[in-house]
Amino acid sequence: MASTNKRRKLTNRSEATDRLRSVLTSFKMVQEDQLKKTQTRLMQAGIRTKDLAFFIIAARFIMPLVLGTVAVLVIYVFDMFPAWSWLRQYLTVAAVLVGSYKAPDLWLSNKVKKRSHAVRKGLPDALDLLVICAEAGLTVDAAFGRVARELGKAYPELGDECGLTAIELGFLNERRQAFENLATRVDLEAVRGVVTTMIQTEKYGTPLASALRVLSAEFRNDRMMRAEEKAARLPAIMTVPLILFILPTLFIVILGPAACSIKDSFING
């Protein structure tokens, strides 16, 4: 029963995607490079369904049309804000149109950024484990599978990518393609550096463990530098809350009893 419902959902989703694709194609709203770019961003966000790219492309045109129409009706037709000047009304409608057009891309970029940040946090640990596996004599695909199993709970995004890379290394004819797919799925310069190192070691037969050990040390230094940068930026960030919230409370606590005693002395005197 569950498999039947799942199959029915997949069929309905495929039919909806086909209808949407035909509509977008008939209006010439889909370009091949735009579709591939959106599908790549979906992979980088951890979304494996490529058909969602058609819905994102459609949302770029549907959302401005719907929300822009609502804004025009509310502001100009029903005149719900009569006190607004014509410039403010125009800017509001323009902001609604631009914001609704950019909303799908902003949502997707936010998911990509969060996933890349999660992968970056676990990358040094993954490289250390890859070094241990390489020195223990495991093959590259077995090492990636081991990393996926060991770090999957602590870093699920990184474990997912390593597991998928291990599967591709075992099934693809070109092992280079598996590494390039990893660099495509993760929008991170550090991962591209690891992929370049893996491809070079596969091509020239250089020691994998020593190269990964150097990369791991560099990534740990980068992570330490980012932490120190955040710590150095903290005093400047805390200045505004200190002035607005902490200092007034401190002045009230310190000067409040003195002010009360002075007031009482004036009243009694």
Side-chain angles (χ1 to χ4, degrees):
M1 186 65 180
S3 61
T4 304
N5 293 333
K6 185 176 181 180
R7 193 180 303 112
R8 187 182 296 112
K9 289 181 181 179
L10 291 176
T11 303
N12 295 335
R13 184 185 302 172
S14 178
E15 291 177 355
T17 303
D18 292 337
R19 288 196 295 267
L20 183 60
R21 183 190 295 113
S22 62
V23 170
L24 293 177
T25 304
S26 61
F27 285 98
K28 296 181 180 181
M29 298 167 60
V30 178
Q31 299 178 356
E32 191 66 26
D33 55 346
Q34 181 187 21
L35 180 61
K36 289 183 178 179
K37 183 179 179 181
T38 305
Q39 290 176 345
T40 301
R41 297 293 286 175
L42 286 172
M43 287 191 299
Q44 293 173 353
I47 302 172
R48 308 301 182 192
T49 306
K50 292 185 177 181
D51 294 338
L52 188 60
F54 293 100
F55 292 93
I56 292 178
I57 294 174
R60 295 172 183 168
F61 297 94
I62 295 175
M63 288 181 63
L65 181 62
V66 174
L67 296 181
T69 303
V70 171
V72 170
L73 290 175
V74 168
I75 294 177
Y76 291 106
V77 178
F78 298 107
D79 197 15
M80 297 184 64
F81 302 98
W84 286 9
S85 62
W86 68 269
L87 181 60
R88 186 175 182 181
Q89 293 175 347
Y90 173 77
L91 292 178
T92 302
V93 174
V96 169
L97 290 173
V98 175
S100 57
Y101 178 78
K102 291 292 185 180
D105 294 330
L106 292 176
W107 172 79
L108 191 56
S109 299
N110 186 43
K111 291 187 70 67
V112 171
K113 186 177 180 180
K114 288 183 178 180
R115 184 176 176 84
S116 300
H117 180 67
V119 172
R120 183 190 290 114
K121 289 195 300 183
L123 192 58
D125 297 333
L127 290 180
D128 289 338
L129 190 54
L130 280 176
V131 170
I132 295 173
C133 294
E135 291 178 345
L138 294 179
T139 59
V140 177
D141 50 347
F144 271 94
R146 185 73 177 184
V147 170
R149 290 193 301 271
E150 295 293 335
L151 299 181
K153 293 183 179 180
Y155 307 104
E157 295 84 2
L158 183 59
D160 184 25
E161 296 298 336
C162 290
L164 187 56
T165 303
I167 295 173
E168 290 183 345
L169 285 171
F171 283 94
L172 291 179
N173 294 327
E174 292 289 336
R175 297 171 64 87
R176 179 190 181 97
Q177 186 63 40
F179 295 127
E180 291 178 350
N181 291 341
L182 175 61
T184 302
R185 291 193 305 269
V186 182
D187 186 20
L188 202 60
E189 189 65 31
V191 173
R192 286 189 282 270
V194 174
V195 166
T196 302
T197 302
M198 301 294 290
I199 293 175
Q200 289 178 352
T201 55
E202 288 276 339
K203 183 177 181 180
Y204 300 108
T206 55
L208 178 61
S210 59
L212 292 179
R213 189 179 291 109
V214 172
L215 284 177
S216 177
E218 290 180 358
F219 294 157
R220 288 188 183 279
N221 290 332
D222 291 340
R223 186 164 64 178
M224 183 62 68
M225 289 177 62
R226 286 195 299 270
E228 292 177 353
E229 182 182 355
K230 289 183 179 179
R233 208 166 53 234
L234 188 60
I237 297 175
M238 288 297 296
T239 301
V240 176
L242 179 66
I243 295 174
L244 293 180
F245 303 106
I246 299 177
L247 288 181
T249 306
L250 186 62
F251 289 152
I252 292 173
V253 171
I254 295 175
L255 300 179
C260 292
S261 62
I262 293 173
K263 180 181 178 182
D264 292 338
S265 65
F266 274 112
I267 295 175
N268 295 329

